[in-house]
Amino acid sequence: MIEGIRRWVETESPTRDRAAVNRMIDLVQSDVTELPVAVERVPGRDGFADNLIIRNQAAGRGAGILILSHIDTVHPIGTLAGPLPFRRDGDRLYGPGLFDMKGGAYLALEAFRQVAKAGSAKLPVTFMFTPDEEVGSPTSRNLIETEAKRARYVLVTEPARDGGKIVTARKGVGRFEIRTTGVPAHSGARHQDGRSAIKEMARQILAIEDMTDYPRGVTTTVGIISGGTAPNVIPQHCHISVDLRVCDEAAGAEFEAKILGLEPFDAGVKVEISGGMNRPPFEKSAAIDVLFRHAQAVARQIGFDLQHTEMTGGGSDGNFTAALGVPTLDGLGIDGDGAHTEWEHGLISSIEPRTLLMRGLLETLQ
Ligand SMILES: [Zn+2]
């Protein structure tokens, strides 16, 4: 298993490098050639790589189980040769995308392979590998939703957290781009004629950051800013990117409207706002609770205690499927820490129990 994970991690696959992500998809495809499964490769679009859909229909063609793994990572090519080579240190396996989420995708595929070979699933199983989760799944979302509507359950192999906990609820995510356009002027000679796009944006930023409401689980973050051309020019342009997190649909609609409705403080500066909710909230329904308890029973049989986290702030493709009302379990991937950092690692000791958990779910869900 470690050798297999090494092969996947050493095939670097940053989202926006289409050729690199397709090499990763090739590798996944080559790992299922011997299996009695149908493989469909959906060509990528808009500069993103392909989606790979693997179907084990030994149990028929009705509503079944959908497994979701994204095979892109946030790490640029060269991370492996630079700050984050594949390496083992005690129980830890380091490497770009090892925790988020190649370790989990690999162990889930291993469970799927075992079940496909043995013909031991009670339901048809569809395994989807997607190329663009790390940028919000712009080209895979439709495919994911189409498959999810046909599914009885969705299992997502995002990383486990806090000592192996899985995920049964995630906040919804909104993304916004805001541009201010002022009037440029010489900062010495004609200061009074200028209208500063940066000054206006500074006030907008404080208004947006002040929307954060921890008791309601609402957070707003201005994560990117750019603007201006020189110290001695009243700036004409400024741009920011905004991230919004909410716990439920009502808050999503409320804060989306608040951000889209921001008005200029200075009438001489134009404010343009685009964006909206990108991932709907993944709320823990009664059906998700039933599915979680089933997984807990499977884990108990294997010999470990499975728990879930409180609602997490990070979004995933599970947000799309849970919002469609399909019972979804997430965080079924490898345990570890450091997603998106140069100390990203998975725990070797979590590989076997979580492979068995995935296999147990595929063999018992009906
Ligand atoms: Zn991920």
Side-chain angles (χ1 to χ4, degrees):
M1 290 283 280
I2 292 173
E3 184 52 27
I5 292 171
R6 184 186 65 76
R7 272 191 304 126
W8 281 27
V9 167
E10 290 187 345
T11 304
E12 294 181 285
S13 53
T15 317
R16 294 195 188 274
D17 189 331
R18 178 182 196 154
V21 179
N22 272 333
R23 281 196 293 277
M24 187 60 226
I25 294 278
D26 291 342
L27 190 55
V28 178
Q29 200 168 354
S30 71
D31 281 352
V32 298
T33 46
E34 305 292 301
L35 296 180
V37 294
V39 177
E40 185 187 344
R41 186 156 172 164
V42 182
R45 58 182 171 89
D46 304 339
F48 293 99
D50 304 347
N51 283 270
L52 190 69
I53 305 175
I54 307 163
R55 299 179 201 279
N56 172 31
Q57 288 169 335
R61 289 182 145 268
I65 302 168
L66 174 63
I67 309 173
L68 291 178
S69 294
H70 69 80
I71 216 63
D72 59 320
T73 80
V74 298
H75 299 282
I77 299 275
T79 304
L80 189 68
L84 187 54
F86 179 88
R87 70 182 198 279
R88 181 176 177 168
D89 179 6
D91 192 34
R92 294 177 172 194
L93 279 183
Y94 288 84
L98 201 145
F99 180 54
D100 184 11
M101 62 148 76
K102 289 182 180 175
Y106 189 87
L107 71 82
L109 185 64
E110 178 57 28
F112 175 85
R113 288 158 54 91
Q114 292 171 9
V115 168
K117 274 186 202 152
S120 53
K122 290 198 170 71
L123 293 174
V125 183
T126 299
F127 202 143
M128 247 187 105
F129 288 88
T130 64
D132 58 355
E133 193 275 342
E134 294 293 3
V135 298
S137 309
T139 64
S140 59
R141 178 174 182 170
N142 279 344
L143 284 171
I144 290 168
E145 291 182 333
T146 301
E147 293 296 332
K149 282 176 195 161
R150 290 191 204 132
R152 198 172 291 179
Y153 306 104
V154 178
L155 306 175
V156 187
T157 67
E158 289 287 355
R161 42 197 79 215
D162 308 333
K165 290 180 182 167
I166 64 171
V167 175
T168 55
R170 291 179 180 274
K171 287 185 182 180
V173 185
R175 285 288 156 78
F176 303 85
E177 305 298 323
I178 304 184
R179 285 169 205 286
T180 50
T181 308
V183 179
H186 189 293
S187 65
R190 305 292 294 272
H191 191 279
Q192 68 282 5
D193 295 342
R195 290 288 177 276
S196 169
I198 289 180
K199 180 181 171 188
E200 171 65 27
M201 191 65 92
R203 301 169 84 178
Q204 297 291 349
I205 290 169
L206 293 178
I208 291 164
E209 293 273 353
D210 283 348
M211 290 178 194
T212 290
D213 184 344
Y214 292 127
R216 287 184 67 188
V218 175
T219 60
T220 50
T221 305
V222 176
I224 299 179
I225 181 166
S226 64
T229 53
N232 57 353
V233 180
I234 306 287
Q236 186 178 7
H237 298 289
C238 188
H239 163 256
I240 59 171
S241 295
V242 180
D243 176 286
L244 166 68
R245 307 275 162 157
V246 296
C247 291
D248 56 68
E249 246 182 276
E254 179 187 336
F255 283 84
E256 182 184 80
K258 267 191 181 166
I259 293 171
L260 292 175
L262 287 165
E263 297 280 351
F265 289 87
D266 178 345
V269 180
K270 191 164 76 174
V271 178
E272 293 166 289
I273 308 165
S274 61
M277 287 301 292
N278 168 260
R279 293 182 188 277
F282 171 170
E283 298 178 62
K284 188 179 177 189
S285 63
I288 289 177
D289 193 51
V290 170
L291 179 56
F292 168 69
R293 287 180 197 290
H294 179 83
Q296 216 172 19
V298 171
R300 209 172 295 126
Q301 291 255 309
I302 297 164
F304 71 100
D305 178 37
L306 186 69
Q307 295 296 333
H308 67 79
T309 58
E310 294 307 308
M311 180 176 253
T312 163
S316 88
D317 288 332
N319 288 60
F320 299 138
T321 64
L324 289 172
V326 188
T328 300
L329 282 189
D330 201 342
L332 288 163
I334 196 167
D335 194 12
D337 206 353
H340 300 192
T341 73
E342 291 176 356
W343 50 281
E344 175 165 352
H345 63 271
L347 299 179
I348 295 168
S349 55
S350 73
I351 295 173
E352 192 190 356
R354 298 183 87 82
T355 307
L356 291 170
L357 174 62
M358 180 58 76
R359 179 172 179 166
L361 286 168
L362 298 181
E363 291 180 335
T364 57
L365 286 173
Q366 53 187 320

